[in-house]
Amino acid sequence: MFIYVSLTPAAEMTPLLPLSEEIKQISPDLVFLRLFPNTSTKVCLVENRKDSQRYILKLADKRRNPFIPEGLYKSRLKHVQREERVLRELPDLEGITHLVEAYENDNYIAILKEFQKGIPLNGGGTLKDYYALKRIIGSIHARGIVRIDVRYNNIIKNPGPKLYEEYESRRSSIAIIDLGSCMFHYEVTLKEFDKLARKDLSDLELIFSKSL
C-alpha cells in the first residue's frame, strides 16, 4: 500500500513506502529486521539472504520531502555520503564497524556495515576501555580524519567473549559505530585540525571522567 503526501492538491506527489519496501529497492537480498530509534538518519538491522548474516544498513532518501526541512534533508544525505568516504579510508582499522557495500539508485543512497553486537557504553567503561578508545581515535587522526563525535551512544562494548572469531585479529571488544560527522584534513587548516583532534580526546576524557 502506498501513502501519498503533498502540501497542496497541485503539489507533486511523493510516495512514502514502508521501510521494508524501501530496503527492497536498495537491494532485494536485504531483509529488514528492525529500526534503531533516535538516529539522525535511518539506521536498520538487516539480514543478507546470500550469507544469512546480519548487517547495519544506513540509508537516506534522495527525494525531497516537503515535510522535512531542507537543511535536515541535505544533512542526512551528506552524513551517509561522508561516512562511506571515511570508511573507505579505514578498511583495516580495528575498533570501528567496517563498510561492506555502498548502494545508490534514483531514490536512495545507503551503506551496508558490519554488525557488531554490544551495548552502548553509557558510563560503564573501564580504564582498559579508555586506553583502547584512545588508540582507536589516535589511529583515525593519523589517517588525517578528525571530529569523531565521541559520545556514549556512539560507542558500543561487547562485554562477553569476542564475536566473529574469523575476524578476531582485527576486531576489538569496543567500537565507534558512526563516523558520519568526521572531517578530512584537507577540509580544515592545520590549526583547526589540531583543535578538533584535541576536542575528540577531551570528549573521551569527559566520558571517562569518573574512571580516570
Side-chain angles (χ1 to χ4, degrees):
M1 178 180 179
F2 291 91
I3 303 171
Y4 291 94
V5 297
S6 66
L7 290 178
T8 66
E12 182 180 353
M13 298 294 188
T14 302
L16 298 180
L17 298 174
L19 190 52
S20 58
E21 293 300 318
E22 290 184 317
I23 291 172
K24 284 182 182 178
Q25 287 194 14
I26 293 167
S27 171
D29 295 321
L30 301 179
V31 179
F32 170 71
L33 298 178
R34 60 166 292 199
L35 175 69
F36 291 96
N38 304 320
T39 56
S40 58
T41 55
K42 292 179 182 177
V43 181
C44 314
L45 180 65
V46 298
E47 183 174 299
N48 193 326
R49 287 192 176 97
K50 289 183 176 180
D51 58 13
S52 299
Q53 296 296 312
R54 292 185 173 189
Y55 298 93
I56 295 297
L57 182 73
K58 182 180 289 189
L59 66 151
D61 197 327
K62 294 165 65 176
R63 298 166 297 177
R64 183 74 176 89
N65 186 326
F67 291 110
I68 297 177
E70 185 174 1
L72 179 59
Y73 159 76
K74 289 182 177 179
S75 70
R76 287 175 174 175
L77 289 174
K78 184 178 179 180
H79 190 94
V80 176
Q81 292 167 332
R82 182 169 290 272
E83 186 163 19
E84 179 192 347
R85 288 170 55 202
V86 170
L87 293 177
R88 288 191 185 280
E89 294 293 324
L90 307 171
D92 56 350
L93 186 71
E94 182 181 350
I96 63 172
T97 50
H98 295 87
L99 180 69
V100 176
E101 195 165 349
Y103 306 91
E104 183 169 3
N105 58 31
D106 291 341
N107 296 331
Y108 303 99
I109 58 170
I111 54 174
L112 190 69
K113 304 196 301 176
E114 293 174 328
F115 171 56
Q116 184 166 335
K117 285 186 178 180
I119 56 175
L121 198 59
N122 288 338
T126 64
L127 279 176
K128 183 178 179 181
D129 297 329
Y130 167 78
Y131 286 113
L133 283 165
K134 191 173 182 179
R135 285 193 297 271
I136 294 166
I137 292 169
S139 297
I140 295 173
H141 289 168
R143 306 286 182 97
I145 298 169
V146 76
R147 201 176 74 171
I148 299 170
D149 192 18
V150 182
R151 50 191 168 87
Y152 287 124
N153 60 354
N154 198 23
I155 300 167
I156 58 169
K157 180 181 179 180
N158 171 22
K162 286 186 177 180
L163 304 173
Y164 308 99
E165 291 181 0
E166 65 270 28
Y167 297 118
E168 189 169 342
S169 62
R170 78 172 188 182
R171 282 190 177 272
S172 171
S173 61
I174 198 162
I176 299 171
I177 58 174
D178 187 329
L179 295 173
S181 298
C182 290
M183 298 185 72
F184 292 92
H185 64 92
Y186 50 78
E187 296 178 299
V188 295
T189 65
L190 182 60
K191 184 177 181 179
E192 289 170 334
F193 185 93
D194 182 63
K195 182 178 179 180
L196 290 168
R198 283 188 279 109
K199 186 178 186 306
D200 287 338
L201 293 174
S202 66
D203 288 344
L204 178 65
E205 291 179 2
L206 183 62
I207 289 175
F208 287 88
S209 58
K210 294 182 180 179
S211 303
L212 298 177

